Amino acid sequence: MLYRIKEDLLNDLKGIIDMQKAGAIKILDSNALRNKKIDTIVYNAVFNKDNTMRDICRWLIRTTGNKLSVVSSSIQSLYEAMGKKQYKGFTVPAINIRGLTYDVARSIFRAAKKNHVGAFIFEIARSEIGYTDQRPSEYASVILAAAIKEGHEGPVFIQGDHFQINAKKYEKDRDVEIKTVKGLIKEAIEAGFYNIDIDTSTLVDLSKPNITEQQRLNFEFAAEFTAYIRTLEPKEITISIGGEIGEVGKKNSTIEELTAFMDGYNSTLIAKGKGLTGISKISVQTGTSHGGVPLPDGTIAKVKLDFDTLRDLSRVARDRYGLSGAVQHGASTLPSDAFDKFPETGTAEVHLATEFQNMIYENSSFPKDFKTDIYEFLKKNCVADRKEGETDEQFIYKTRKMGFGPFKERFWNLPSDVKNKIGEELEAKFEFLFKKLNVIHSKEIIHKTIKPIEVQLTNPLTSS
């Protein structure tokens, strides 16, 4: 059901939410909100064509979430404690959701609730925002609605992943590209993203004569974006910021690169302003690639990840710079026996995405006609992405992530039995990952280290 006017919404929520005259709200029946109405509210937050109605629903989700202890938060204080070695032995999973976002997020919250997990992050990259058609405000609203639906209580960590300078666009017009990234940062923070990974590693130039010069543009822009983020923080919130020294899919990172980046970053940040808090983690390259490497038959090539390098970089990041450790990207398609090595090596955070997308498409209940429609769309509209000699299987594997945006509403409206089947398999996968990454029972650690801060939002019901 789509709300046409505000009165539709108000009438639908009578006896469940009291919209008070002063602009505040009061939840009268939290069970009815979870079991009967949150599905409709979040659907309108995504698909209502009326901007005012859509924004009211997004505001309502964040506001009711705060009332139910579902609070978008920064993971900064946990990472600071990890940098001081107060907590160790686990790796925080950061999960990118490209499609079926509400249902996938619900499966994550179910797995977390069952295993008392508090240390986990939802994220979306700059590129994913584009091809999945999920702007920050929509993404945050859907994640928080899923938390409400599943009865989650506590901080919810939402992160901007790879908020990245595009090297080609930078070369064409530096100022426009910098302005674009800053605009995305501002939009994300306003939406409740209180964790942001800056990625200026795309500007690393290995042709330069020494490592400091190779990393110079990387650490200078990372410091500039850090200083900019600090000007946008809500009161009492320190946004957790990540930096990156090696672009995923390129050569493996080294300790020398890490120290060159960090020393340059820290000195540049000091010049930007006294007492500015720096990054809390550092992303590195140790042998993975985003999405894995598809072979001609569509299967994925085995990857040998350099865990010794990951251990060494994490150790230096903590010992020398007080960071939580190194961050590993592109890990979801690794073999299952690799995941328990992340906590063993002191990896602070691991980013996971493609495998969950694969599990949606390859689920036995996924409608064949729908899959055919998506694949035919990709063959017609993604021709420019096809490399010479690439098989159909390789092409589809590489591009099917592009199907989530154009078919977003059709994904959302899949039959309940299909979504339930996919959700069950994903829930089991997330439970497996939580156990391997040793974040089981981390809810208590989150309770000790994170103080959720409710950000007061302008009520569109009274301002529109």
Side-chain angles (χ1 to χ4, degrees), residues 171-311:
E171 187 176 345
K172 184 177 179 181
D173 195 321
R174 172 190 181 279
D175 292 341
V176 168
E177 180 62 5
I178 299 303
K179 184 178 180 181
T180 298
V181 176
K182 286 185 174 179
L184 178 58
I185 288 170
K186 186 173 187 294
E187 179 186 352
I189 292 172
E190 290 174 349
F193 284 54
Y194 300 138
N195 310 276
I196 293 177
D197 279 359
I198 297 166
D199 181 8
T200 49
S201 67
T202 50
L203 301 181
V204 170
D205 187 350
L206 298 179
S207 70
K208 296 292 184 181
N210 59 64
I211 294 177
T212 297
E213 291 308 310
Q214 291 170 10
Q215 290 283 338
R216 181 168 295 282
L217 285 178
N218 185 15
F219 65 66
E220 286 182 347
F221 278 115
E224 180 176 333
F225 287 141
T226 298
Y228 178 68
I229 288 169
R230 299 296 174 221
T231 69
L232 300 174
E233 291 171 326
K235 188 178 180 181
E236 298 186 64
I237 292 178
T238 301
I239 290 172
S240 172
I241 302 173
E244 185 158 345
I245 58 170
E247 190 174 0
V248 173
K250 307 297 182 182
K251 80 173 193 68
N252 284 6
S253 303
T254 65
I255 290 175
E256 291 75 20
E257 287 171 335
L258 189 152
T259 56
F261 172 88
M262 286 304 305
D263 291 344
Y265 170 83
N266 285 337
S267 61
T268 305
L269 189 62
I270 289 171
K272 295 286 182 184
K274 186 178 179 180
L276 291 176
T277 301
I279 61 174
S280 62
K281 58 189 174 178
I282 186 79
S283 293
V284 300
Q285 165 60 3
T286 61
T288 62
S289 63
H290 285 125
V293 179
L295 299 172
D297 64 355
T299 60
I300 305 304
K302 291 183 179 180
V303 174
K304 188 178 186 333
L305 195 147
D306 188 347
F307 282 105
D308 289 337
T309 294
L310 194 54
R311 176 185 286 105

Side-chain angles (χ1 to χ4, degrees), residues 387-454:
K387 294 181 180 178
E388 186 176 351
E390 200 169 50
T391 65
D392 283 347
E393 289 79 8
Q394 285 173 305
F395 170 75
I396 289 297
Y397 181 89
K398 185 180 70 176
T399 59
R400 61 182 175 180
K401 63 185 181 181
M402 304 288 188
F404 287 116
F407 293 91
K408 180 168 63 176
E409 190 164 7
R410 192 166 164 186
F411 269 104
W412 195 291
N413 291 325
L414 281 169
S416 294
D417 60 331
V418 173
K419 292 193 291 185
N420 289 341
K421 176 71 169 151
I422 292 171
E424 287 170 5
E425 291 193 8
L426 285 167
E427 183 180 342
K429 180 70 172 182
F430 292 123
E431 188 169 359
F432 165 82
L433 290 169
F434 288 156
K435 290 177 179 177
K436 283 284 190 175
L437 298 173
N438 206 27
V439 289
I440 301 298
H441 299 298
S442 60
K443 198 171 183 69
E444 182 60 29
I445 295 174
I446 293 299
H447 178 72
K448 289 178 179 178
T449 57
I450 306 293
K451 178 187 176 183
I453 303 296
E454 296 181 14

Side-chain angles (χ1 to χ4, degrees), residues 358-366 371 418 421-422 425:
N358 294 346
M359 290 177 68
I360 293 172
Y361 276 114
E362 294 164 13
N363 188 281
S364 60
S365 67
F366 195 90
K371 189 184 295 187
V418 173
K421 176 71 169 151
I422 292 171
E425 291 193 8

Side-chain angles (χ1 to χ4, degrees), residues 65-79:
N66 285 341
K67 298 286 184 184
L68 296 169
S69 299
V70 174
V71 184
S72 191
S73 301
S74 169
I75 205 167
Q76 174 73 15
S77 53
L78 171 63
Y79 282 3

Side-chain angles (χ1 to χ4, degrees), residues 376-390:
E376 288 302 315
F377 172 87
L378 297 173
K379 289 174 184 177
K380 291 178 182 177
N381 292 277
C382 298
V383 177
D385 295 308
R386 186 155 196 165
K387 294 181 180 178
E388 186 176 351
E390 200 169 50

